[in-house]
Amino acid sequence: MSEFNETTGLTRLFRAFGYSLQGFRACYQYEAAFRQEVLVALFVVPLGFWLGEGGVEKALLVGSWLIVMIVELLNSAVEATVDRFGPEHHKLSGRAKDIGSAAVFLSISFAVMVWALILLPRYL
């Protein structure tokens, strides 16, 4: 790539932001799990800000669900990459998809644990 084609500064930031929006749109359009997690976020994020006592609790409650969405984005990227190479089954492709799914499961488990550890002692 020549030095004249490289972008720096604000131009690079604006383009990167545009690519990020394209990624959000694509994941929302093609991934049902991500759509479901966005719907949960519409409820959980405001609730986390409301129920959290202090900045740390708010960050943990809200952030734990944002981690779920981040992991889902990464899992969807892995799945799209695997699918790009063809629909035929290969054990490594299946393993990659299973590992991505396990990561999503662990992130959801983490979010549930954070919410439980913060809120259950307060309300029991």
Side-chain angles (χ1 to χ4, degrees):
M1 180 179 242
S2 77
E3 64 182 274
F4 298 108
N5 292 333
E6 294 180 19
T7 57
T8 59
L10 288 177
T11 302
R12 187 190 68 76
L13 289 175
F14 284 125
R15 286 185 182 171
F17 181 71
Y19 298 142
S20 296
L21 289 179
Q22 287 177 6
F24 282 121
R25 258 187 248 113
C27 201
Y28 190 85
Q29 180 178 359
Y30 296 108
E31 300 295 332
F34 187 71
R35 288 191 298 274
Q36 293 166 350
E37 291 158 1
V38 167
L39 289 174
V40 171
L42 292 174
F43 174 74
V44 167
V45 169
L47 190 62
F49 280 118
W50 183 55
L51 292 176
E53 292 180 1
V56 173
E57 282 191 5
K58 291 175 194 280
L60 286 169
L61 292 170
V62 172
S64 65
W65 194 255
L66 293 179
I67 287 171
V68 170
M69 296 175 69
I70 291 166
V71 173
E72 185 65 52
L73 286 165
L74 294 171
N75 180 48
S76 297
V78 167
E79 288 184 352
T81 302
V82 168
D83 290 346
R84 180 212 181 277
F85 289 101
E88 65 279 350
H89 181 74
H90 188 280
K91 70 178 183 175
L92 292 177
S93 297
R95 185 184 308 165
K97 288 184 172 193
D98 291 347
I99 291 169
S101 178
V104 173
F105 174 78
L106 282 178
S107 68
I108 292 170
S109 299
F110 172 72
V112 169
M113 181 192 70
V114 166
W115 279 74
L117 288 173
I118 291 174
L119 297 177
L120 285 179
R122 190 177 304 159
Y123 296 107
L124 288 183

